[in-house]
Amino acid sequence: MNSLTPFPGRGGASDVVAFHRTELNVILSLYGRMVAAGEWRDYGISSLRDVAVFSVFRRTAENPLYRIEKRPKLRSRQGEYAVIGMDGQVLKRGHDLRTVLRVLERKLIRPVD
């Protein structure tokens, strides 16, 4: 009477793409610096079947400013990491996460008054 029935159409946890701990350390390091600079305020993480997404928000109720995506299927082609802007434009794509995130680090550089 208390038997468990698996949810239909859903595979195991191996079907989900997620960020590794070292990748999250790099992303959260940049996120912390941008929060300290007052640029970003919130984030969200999604782990889906084909893609893992780290979304960055200026305010909680808005659309994301940037999406950092990991698509392992593009590893051998364009690179598995991408930074996508608010309008859906790909700002940078590549194989190395640190070099892809440099496009966002330029936002930290400001002239001193």
Side-chain angles (χ1 to χ4, degrees):
M1 189 172 221
N2 287 333
S3 65
L4 296 175
T5 305
F7 191 72
R10 185 74 176 131
S14 63
D15 292 348
V16 176
V17 176
F19 288 105
H20 190 266
R21 175 179 236 143
T22 56
E23 295 166 335
L24 277 177
N25 284 342
V26 172
I27 294 170
L28 289 174
S29 172
L30 172 65
Y31 176 78
R33 286 181 279 150
M34 294 300 265
V35 167
E39 296 290 322
W40 296 349
R41 298 233 183 346
D42 200 8
Y43 71 91
I45 300 176
S46 301
S47 296
L48 306 172
R49 183 171 289 179
D50 295 329
V51 62
V53 181
F54 187 95
S55 302
V56 177
F57 300 88
R58 187 179 310 267
R59 292 186 185 33
T60 306
E62 291 183 348
N63 292 327
L65 286 175
Y66 301 105
R67 292 189 331 253
I68 302 164
E69 293 187 353
K70 175 184 177 182
R71 294 183 184 266
K73 288 186 179 181
L74 296 178
R75 182 180 300 137
S76 62
R77 295 181 189 155
Q78 305 159 341
E80 66 180 321
Y81 303 107
V83 174
I84 301 172
M86 183 187 299
D87 55 353
Q89 181 181 10
V90 177
L91 302 177
K92 182 93 172 164
R93 185 181 298 273
H95 298 282
D96 183 40
L97 182 60
R98 290 182 194 273
T99 56
V100 171
L101 292 179
R102 281 190 199 145
V103 73
L104 298 176
E105 289 180 356
R106 290 184 197 148
K107 309 279 185 197
L108 283 174
I109 301 171
R110 296 184 194 159
V112 178
D113 293 335

